[in-house]
Structure formats: structure tokens, C-alpha cells
Amino acid sequence: MYLVDYHMHSKYSFDGECELRDICETAIKRGLSEIAITDHMDIYSDKPYGYILDCANLYQELSDIKEEYSGRLKVLAGVEYGQPQANKETALQFIKDYPLDFIIGSIHNMWDDKDAYDYDYNKTEYHVVYDGYMEWLYTLADEYEYDVLGHVTYPSRYIYEQTGVRVDMREYREKYVRIFQRVIERGRGIELNLSGIARGHNDTMPDMYLLKLYRELGGEIITLGSDAHILEHVGLVTEKGCEILKEAGFQYLTTYENRIPKFLKLE
């Protein structure tokens, strides 16, 4: 089986710790054939793009790693591109400066550059944050560069962790329809983020309801990612992710090279 993991973070991410070679060796041991390194490039309203990511050293090392592991593991130079609308000029400059194989477009930070993770949902009505998140996500889907949208229910995890409330995605059906239709129109996709399973939370982003909705709307482009920040999670639940995709009605998994999608039959 050709196994892939298209979302992982190295020591170059502010919240990562892994050496690139250690990630590659772990991926090989787990039976992976292909990985994408997608360190965080979160865009802030008042800072240059290099504020959060050492791009020069990361992408130079990735270039070396690609060559070193050629024939054993396919390694893609990717990025998790966070809320580019926060500072359009610097976000566009990053894309020009660093041609990549794969871009995950994500929303983490919203108003005042505050991450959805940082809200106290026992004091803040979660609908306020989630409604805002949906608008930020649509703007990203509609106007900016990405290949897939990442963890498209991002605030829901922290809402649940703090309050025990699981957001009913049926409440947001029409907003997700709007986003998914725009993604499909642009020839882009979404990811199935498996971090919740890897971390023992028994959830995925998005959940099965939204996966099936995306598929019913005609969505075909979808990638799998562990969102690994530690070696233990690299490729840990890839096979489980393939099973989830088949259950949701997908026949193909998407891979990339030079930002061109390719389709891999789900066995």
C-alpha cells in the first residue's frame, strides 16, 4: 500500500521539535512512501512573513533532504499557510519567494491576531468565534493561494476540550456548502486532518458529516495528514485515514508535486 502523510511539523515550526531527518526515518519505519513537511507560516497583521518561520534554512535543508532520501522516501516542500488575509502584501511575497510543492491554507488567528485556541469558551460564546472563523475561512477559500484547506473545523476541538460541547456541524451546513463549492470551483481541495485520532481524541477535522457533504457536492481533491508535531504521530494513523475516506465515499487520495494534484486509488 502506498501510504502518505501530508501534514507535519519540524523544529522549524514554533510548536515543533523534530529534526527533518528523524521525521524521514520515522516515516520510512512506518511504511510511508511520501510525506510533505508543512511547517507553520502564520501571517500576522504587523509582522514580516519571516517572523515565525526561518524560511531560508528550512527550504535549503528540505532541498538537501529531498535529494538524500530520493528512492527511499518522497519528500515534498510544503507549508501550512495561516490566514494570509491578515497581511496580504507580505503573504503574497512569501509565495513569490518560495515556490513550493504543496500549500495547506489554514485559519488559526483571527481578530487582533488571536488564535482560536486562546479563547476562554467558558466566558466567550462559542458561536461568536465559530461564525467569525467561517467568514475568515471563506475569504481564504475565495481569494488566496492554497492547494487544500486545513482542519476546516479548527475551533471545534478547543470548544470541546474546554466546555465538553461538540459543535453540531449541521448548524453550519449552508456556510460549509458555500465554502466547499468555492473550493471545488477553484480546483482546490480540503484535508482530512487526523490529529485527533493520533492524539487519542477520537475525532477528525472535518467529521464524517462534513466529509460526506464535501463529497456529495462533487469534492474530489482530498489529502491525509497527521498534523504531527512529535515523531510518535508521524504516519501513525494513515491507514485509518484511508478507511475513513472510503467510508465517506472517496475513491481517490490526492498527492501533489509542484502544486499539481495527482490521484491515488484507495485500495
Side-chain angles (χ1 to χ4, degrees):
M1 185 181 293
Y2 193 90
L3 299 176
V4 307
D5 188 337
Y6 262 53
H7 191 154
M8 56 184 66
H9 299 278
S10 77
K11 67 178 184 179
Y12 288 99
S13 280
F14 70 93
D15 55 357
E17 60 183 44
C18 306
E19 296 289 342
L20 292 177
R21 284 177 178 79
D22 291 339
I23 291 174
C24 293
E25 292 297 330
T26 301
I28 291 170
K29 288 177 184 176
R30 289 260 164 83
L32 299 183
S33 299
E34 188 170 330
I35 64 172
I37 303 297
T38 55
D39 282 315
H40 283 290
M41 169 52 74
D42 279 313
I43 302 297
Y44 289 85
S45 60
D46 61 348
K47 296 178 175 65
Y49 71 70
Y51 167 75
I52 197 169
L53 184 64
D54 180 0
C55 300
N57 284 319
L58 166 61
Y59 293 118
Q60 180 57 60
E61 186 174 355
L62 268 177
S63 178
D64 296 340
I65 288 284
K66 279 186 172 189
E67 184 174 347
E68 180 179 337
Y69 282 87
S70 178
R72 291 190 291 158
L73 179 70
K74 187 173 182 179
V75 181
L76 303 185
V79 73
E80 185 171 11
Y81 193 44
Q83 58 284 333
Q85 61 263 54
N87 190 328
K88 185 174 183 178
E89 183 178 346
T90 195
L92 289 174
Q93 190 60 52
F94 167 71
I95 294 294
K96 292 176 183 177
D97 289 347
Y98 292 94
L100 301 170
D101 290 307
F102 177 63
I103 298 174
I104 300 173
S106 296
I107 299 296
H108 302 109
N109 308 330
M110 296 180 287
W111 310 287
D112 300 321
D113 295 325
K114 186 174 182 179
D115 196 309
Y117 167 84
D118 292 322
Y119 284 92
D120 182 345
Y121 293 102
N122 291 296
K123 296 179 180 178
T124 302
E125 172 55 51
Y126 80 78
H127 285 290
V128 174
V129 178
Y130 211 94
D131 286 343
Y133 172 77
M134 296 299 294
E135 291 305 312
W136 279 70
L137 190 62
Y138 180 78
T139 299
L140 171 56
D142 183 42
E143 300 179 20
Y144 290 86
E145 279 300 311
Y146 63 94
D147 296 307
V148 301
L149 294 182
H151 48 54
V152 297
T153 58
Y154 178 67
S156 65
R157 170 167 298 164
Y158 307 114
I159 293 166
Y160 175 71
E161 287 180 353
Q162 293 184 32
T163 68
V165 173
R166 288 201 183 273
V167 178
D168 185 348
M169 294 305 159
R170 291 174 295 183
E171 296 179 42
Y172 292 94
R173 177 185 171 88
E174 294 311 311
K175 291 185 177 182
Y176 276 109
V177 166
R178 180 173 175 245
I179 290 169
F180 292 160
Q181 286 178 335
R182 186 62 182 131
V183 167
I184 294 165
E185 287 169 0
R186 295 189 66 192
R188 313 298 167 85
I190 66 171
E191 75 161 353
L192 174 58
N193 186 297
L194 299 163
S195 57
I197 296 178
R199 298 170 190 177
H201 296 168
N202 197 32
D203 65 352
T204 60
M205 295 187 286
D207 63 8
M208 183 60 71
Y209 173 76
L210 290 180
L211 279 177
K212 288 183 175 180
L213 176 62
Y214 172 66
R215 184 71 194 96
E216 288 166 5
L217 291 168
E220 294 184 336
I221 294 177
I222 193 160
T223 60
L224 282 179
S226 64
D227 205 348
H229 290 72
I230 59 175
L231 290 177
E232 180 184 353
H233 294 161
V234 170
L236 182 64
V237 288
T238 293
E239 291 189 47
K240 176 64 175 176
C242 291
E243 293 172 7
I244 292 170
L245 288 183
K246 287 188 287 186
E247 182 182 348
F250 292 90
Q251 295 183 352
Y252 297 91
L253 175 66
T254 313
T255 61
Y256 280 84
E257 188 169 5
N258 296 321
R259 302 198 56 204
I260 299 172
K262 300 179 180 180
F263 294 91
L264 180 67
K265 180 74 173 177
L266 286 166
E267 300 297 338

